[in-house]
Amino acid sequence: MTKVAPALHPHFRPIQRLQLMTMPRHDAYEARGKPEPGVCEDCGVVWSKGHWHWGAAPAQTGRLLCPACRRIREHAPAGFLRLSGPALARDRAELLALLNNHAQRERGEHPLQRIMAVEDDGEAVVVTTTDIHLARGLGDALYAARRGELDYRYNDNEHLLYVHWQG
């Protein structure tokens, strides 16, 4: 279940897309220091040579939990994408397929960028993600395909992004 709609939270502020791409990261879920090479015990992503990637694990690796799986376990999304409007009512299946395809491509290149949940209440769809950049990318993909209105709101204190697309 998602948290209270972030757009209503007073610590969220509007932000431009380019600002988001250039701001420093301060994600509490990001690994600190340099852990030993290892494999995530939930998803199998490999940590070696300073980054997460899909593939074979180096010899003698430990078991650990990647930041994405940790967010999923703790139900702590970093990104929220809310879809609403007449285009959603008319083309719901097509829009959700577009989001899923984009997320699968991103996950191949960036293993920590994943969709956590898709909640549909009939009026709107809320997609939660393990990374703010995936939420931004999903919003950008919707805008590129369908235009509409796209709004970004960022919370500096908690490293959360709320994206609202209305089509």
Side-chain angles (χ1 to χ4, degrees):
M1 298 302 159
T2 58
K3 298 178 181 178
V4 175
L8 304 177
H9 196 279
H11 297 291
F12 278 80
R13 64 180 172 83
I15 189 168
Q16 298 295 315
R17 180 180 188 273
L18 292 177
Q19 287 176 298
L20 178 65
M21 296 172 73
T22 59
M23 63 182 25
R25 294 190 62 162
H26 55 276
D27 186 356
Y29 284 83
E30 197 171 276
R32 300 288 182 239
K34 294 192 177 192
E36 296 297 319
V39 177
C40 178
E41 60 191 41
D42 282 3
C43 68
V45 69
V46 176
W47 171 264
S48 68
K49 298 182 183 174
H51 71 279
W52 295 97
H53 60 89
W54 299 111
Q60 298 183 344
T61 57
R63 304 291 292 168
L64 45 86
L65 193 62
C66 74
C69 288
R70 193 170 140 218
R71 279 189 177 279
I72 292 167
R73 276 191 187 180
E74 296 175 9
H75 304 286
F80 298 82
L81 169 65
R82 183 175 191 274
L83 291 74
S84 64
L88 175 65
R90 185 180 58 246
D91 302 322
R92 183 177 309 270
E94 182 181 334
L95 294 172
L96 293 176
L98 181 142
L99 294 177
N100 187 50
N101 290 339
H102 183 85
Q104 290 302 318
R105 278 192 309 276
E106 286 299 313
R107 184 176 177 171
E109 292 180 34
H110 307 284
L112 303 184
Q113 294 187 11
R114 304 183 198 156
I115 290 179
M116 293 175 63
V118 178
E119 296 179 12
D120 188 340
D121 67 7
E123 298 276 325
V125 172
V126 176
V127 178
T128 53
T129 66
T130 59
D131 186 271
I132 65 171
H133 300 289
L134 180 58
R136 179 200 41 86
L138 292 172
D140 290 348
L142 283 169
Y143 186 78
R146 296 298 190 91
R147 292 294 179 233
E149 296 176 26
L150 191 58
D151 181 44
Y152 303 96
R153 298 200 177 264
Y154 181 69
N155 180 315
D156 295 299
N157 299 328
E158 299 179 44
H159 191 66
L160 297 173
L161 178 68
Y162 179 79
V163 180
H164 181 215
W165 177 83
Q166 185 170 346

